[in-house]
Amino acid sequence: MTEQSKHPAYIWWNGKYVAWDDATVHVTELGWSTVGAVFEGIRAYANPSSDQDVVIFRLQEHLARLKKSMALVRLRLDYSLPELTEIIVELLRMNEVREDTYIRPLAYTANVAGKRFSEVGGEAGLLINTSRMPSHLKTGVTQTAAVSSWRRISDEVMPPRIKNLSNYRNGQLASMEARAHGYDIGLLLNTGGTVAEAPGACVMFVADGKLITPHVTSSILESITRDALMVLAREVLGLEVIERAVDRTELYLADEVFTCGTAAEITPITEIDKYQIGDGRQGTISRDLEHAFHAVLRGQDPRYRHWSTPVHAAASVLA
Ligand SMILES: *Cc1c(COP(=O)(O)O)cnc(C)c1O
């Protein structure tokens, strides 16, 4: 981030570090270029106890998922995961990133003019950009929710488990509906009628001291945060964690409900369809999980250091 501007100095695009203003495409590609796109959402967090370094959370898992997303939509990835790791770490260094940051690799079908976007093995473009995104953990933010009248896309129609850009109209419709009705977020059931997820975030709840979340065949995106929180709930909090089909009424009656994801981090839900959840505030288990997660995200828990890629002190890690 430069002094004068609100955007970072560089974007990585098709093999080069390009100045922000020079990373442009022609207006006629607007609309079509992203029909075939998949992406990743990754976060880097300032680690205050490590000489003002920033650490990228679970970068390897995010890159592995990018590779899977590209494979499923038949886009060729011309970089190895170690190469992409190096490219991203260098981009954050060039942008002099010292604060909480979002990193978004986007792979798309290049040369879409003439409706060639469904050509198999056609040219893929890849860009990686960064933007400032402060964490909202420990700020006390909560949300209200309503079960959406929209259903989550199913694997028979679109692949819910990957970050396929075309999928996001689904969550967007649910979000807009929820906001129009005065709620913060919508909760999507799947076509089988059980709970899938929130737009762009997975859902977890606490009942009888256990942490429960819809399983990966519930039309959810296979969230890396969800996976991390299941590990932390078991290993740090000693909780029983269950993945299974979840009914909407279980959410209404839960002691605690929260959304989780790279963007959502952990965000408590205090009310669903005007049913108060627990005592209407963040519950103690989600608060304990939030505190454990916060330390891990900032690279301050040595037990989970393998999930952190340091940026400014990265030379030794990449070697
Ligand atoms: C990215 C995303 C999530 C959360 O996944 P993370 O890997 O934890 O970021 C959940 N649902 C959807 C639809 C998403 O796009």
Side-chain angles (χ1 to χ4, degrees):
M1 198 88 82
T2 56
E3 286 271 292
Q4 309 91 317
S5 61
K6 288 255 184 288
H7 60 72
Y10 295 100
I11 284 176
W12 184 90
W13 191 20
N14 294 335
K16 297 189 198 81
Y17 295 94
V18 183
W20 178 277
D21 290 334
D22 297 335
T24 57
V25 295
H26 195 266
V27 68
T28 57
E29 299 221 347
L30 194 68
W32 289 117
S33 57
T34 53
V35 170
V38 295
F39 73 105
E40 264 309 315
I42 309 168
R43 275 168 97 137
Y45 288 86
N47 177 356
S49 55
S50 173
D51 202 21
Q52 296 306 305
D53 204 353
V54 295
V55 293
I56 306 171
F57 183 61
R58 301 195 79 179
L59 178 58
Q60 295 318 307
E61 288 86 345
H62 281 282
L63 293 177
R65 189 171 63 190
L66 177 67
K67 191 175 172 179
K68 283 189 190 169
S69 293
M70 290 182 73
L72 195 58
V73 301
R74 304 181 199 276
L75 284 175
R76 201 180 69 226
L77 178 59
D78 293 326
Y79 300 88
S80 69
L81 301 194
E83 281 170 335
L84 289 174
T85 302
E86 217 162 319
I87 286 164
I88 288 173
V89 167
E90 181 59 21
L91 179 64
L92 266 65
R93 286 186 187 161
M94 289 175 72
N95 284 334
E96 296 172 42
V97 167
R98 296 279 173 186
E99 53 188 353
D100 297 356
T101 293
Y102 188 68
I103 305 159
R104 195 207 52 183
L106 179 91
Y108 58 96
T109 321
N111 300 324
V112 287
K115 300 209 181 83
R116 284 187 284 120
F117 62 83
S118 51
E119 224 169 61
V120 172
E123 201 188 322
L126 181 61
L127 78 88
I128 306 172
N129 67 283
T130 63
S131 55
R132 197 174 154 267
M133 189 188 267
S135 170
H136 65 248
L137 286 179
K138 293 181 166 179
T139 61
V141 69
T142 61
Q143 57 196 348
T144 62
V147 172
S148 180
S149 68
W150 296 98
R151 293 292 172 103
R152 170 79 172 149
I153 50 164
S154 82
D155 207 51
E156 302 152 283
V157 178
M158 298 275 265
R161 60 176 34 78
I162 62 164
K163 294 187 95 75
N164 174 36
L165 215 63
S166 304
N167 290 354
Y168 289 81
R169 181 69 80 187
N170 180 226
Q172 185 193 42
L173 287 167
S175 292
M176 292 192 299
E177 179 191 51
R179 281 181 203 142
H181 295 169
Y183 301 92
D184 297 323
I185 61 160
L187 294 173
L188 289 147
L189 306 181
N190 55 40
T191 52
T194 63
V195 176
E197 56 172 49
C202 285
V203 177
M204 294 186 164
F205 72 100
V206 176
D208 299 326
K210 296 172 188 143
L211 187 68
I212 304 166
T213 191
H215 51 48
V216 292
T217 51
S218 303
S219 298
I220 67 166
L221 183 124
E222 290 192 26
S223 156
I224 292 163
T225 310
R226 171 184 174 279
D227 175 78
L229 294 179
M230 289 195 295
V231 170
L232 297 179
R234 287 189 180 111
E235 294 181 0
V236 178
L237 304 188
L239 295 179
E240 188 180 337
V241 178
I242 303 166
E243 294 170 79
R244 60 165 173 78
V246 170
D247 287 336
R248 71 190 283 176
T249 50
E250 292 186 279
L251 298 185
Y252 295 151
L253 298 174
D255 298 317
E256 306 182 22
V257 184
F258 59 89
T259 57
C260 67
T262 297
E265 300 178 306
I266 291 177
T267 311
I269 297 176
T270 53
E271 178 193 300
I272 305 172
D273 292 334
K274 305 287 182 190
Y275 289 100
Q276 178 179 296
I277 306 303
D279 60 7
R281 280 174 292 166
Q282 179 174 32
T284 52
I285 288 179
S286 49
R287 193 193 54 225
D288 290 350
L289 197 54
E290 177 182 350
H291 283 242
F293 189 42
H294 184 262
V296 169
L297 288 174
R298 296 204 180 277
Q300 293 175 310
D301 186 333
R303 291 170 293 184
Y304 300 97
R305 197 145 285 158
H306 55 284
W307 282 351
S308 295
T309 303
V311 170
H312 300 288
S316 57
V317 173
L318 295 176

